[in-house]
Amino acid sequence: MSDDCRLPSQYAVDYEALLSDARAEGETNAAMILREQVLFKWRDLYAATVMHVTNIVRIQFRTFEYIFDHYSELEAKGEVPYDQTIQDRVVGVIGTSAQAEEKRYAGRLWGWAAPTEEFLGTERDRGHFMAHCIGGGLDVNVFSQERRLNRGWSPQGKTYRQMETYCYDQPGTFCFSRPVYADGSSVPRWLEFGLLKTDQTLWVEVFDNYV
């Protein structure tokens, strides 16, 4: 991990330790074991660092699994009071990179809300937790991302693009994306992206989504 951006300790995950534990349990299926360990670690850490009741669900899309806090479902059922400061949001995405299954339909993305600059402002983009080119979808996969990061314009954006390119060039790469929030909104304060390289070493970076 680079020294450019680090998460506050209460949000940090020791992925190297999880990988070591996964290998100890079974070298041949370490990635599968690591996947489950990471999902449960994210769930527990998320629940411990938010101030509201959570409703965590798992959503499978092709080669990726999304864990999602479906808070509005609790509101709809009357189990919690309505709170406009708390939004449904992705807790993390994990899986393996794959070629895009179908053509990306921009109209569907633009229909997600108002035109980008009108809805998000001139410094934001509709980003994707997992790029469409490596098998990510739309809808739940979309979030408000700092423009220079998303487009590879800033130093951290260049690193972000390098990681996405690695996953694209090496189909079947184990990778994950975790948004970390500072409030109840669906806009991440930080974005963590990681992958398991062909030499079986982890490459994990944290990106500032507010700059």
Side-chain angles (χ1 to χ4, degrees), residues 91-132:
V91 176
V93 188
I94 196 166
T96 55
S97 63
Q99 292 184 347
E101 190 171 50
E102 57 187 17
K103 180 180 178 181
R104 175 178 172 175
Y105 291 99
R108 187 181 180 198
L109 179 58
W110 302 135
W112 178 65
T116 303
E117 292 189 1
E118 176 186 337
F119 184 69
L120 300 175
T122 59
E123 303 302 321
R124 314 295 297 179
D125 275 346
R126 290 182 175 91
H128 296 78
F129 290 114
M130 288 298 173
H132 182 264

Side-chain angles (χ1 to χ4, degrees), residues 20-47:
S20 178
D21 290 345
R23 285 175 173 156
E25 289 189 40
E27 186 67 35
T28 58
N29 59 343
M32 184 178 300
I33 297 171
L34 177 62
R35 173 174 174 154
E36 288 301 307
Q37 289 180 336
V38 169
L39 284 170
F40 286 121
K41 183 67 174 180
W42 284 348
R43 181 202 62 184
D44 294 344
L45 193 57
Y46 177 80

Side-chain angles (χ1 to χ4, degrees), residues 96-98 164-174 196-198:
T96 55
S97 63
E164 289 184 326
T165 300
Y166 187 98
C167 294
Y168 177 80
D169 290 341
Q170 306 286 339
T173 296
F174 174 87
L196 189 62
K197 299 171 72 173
T198 55

Side-chain angles (χ1 to χ4, degrees), residues 19-112:
L19 178 59
S20 178
D21 290 345
R23 285 175 173 156
E25 289 189 40
E27 186 67 35
T28 58
N29 59 343
M32 184 178 300
I33 297 171
L34 177 62
R35 173 174 174 154
E36 288 301 307
Q37 289 180 336
V38 169
L39 284 170
F40 286 121
K41 183 67 174 180
W42 284 348
R43 181 202 62 184
D44 294 344
L45 193 57
Y46 177 80
T49 54
V50 298
M51 302 300 293
H52 63 269
V53 176
T54 62
N55 181 32
I56 306 297
V57 298
R58 296 173 68 159
I59 303 167
Q60 187 72 39
F61 178 80
R62 296 190 68 210
T63 59
F64 289 109
E65 185 169 4
Y66 297 74
I67 56 173
F68 185 73
D69 185 2
H70 195 6
Y71 184 82
S72 65
E73 182 179 51
L74 301 180
E75 293 176 321
K77 292 179 177 179
E79 296 179 15
V80 296
Y82 175 76
D83 189 337
Q84 63 180 358
T85 68
I86 301 174
Q87 298 177 332
D88 291 344
R89 57 194 188 179
V90 167
V91 176
V93 188
I94 196 166
T96 55
S97 63
Q99 292 184 347
E101 190 171 50
E102 57 187 17
K103 180 180 178 181
R104 175 178 172 175
Y105 291 99
R108 187 181 180 198
L109 179 58
W110 302 135
W112 178 65

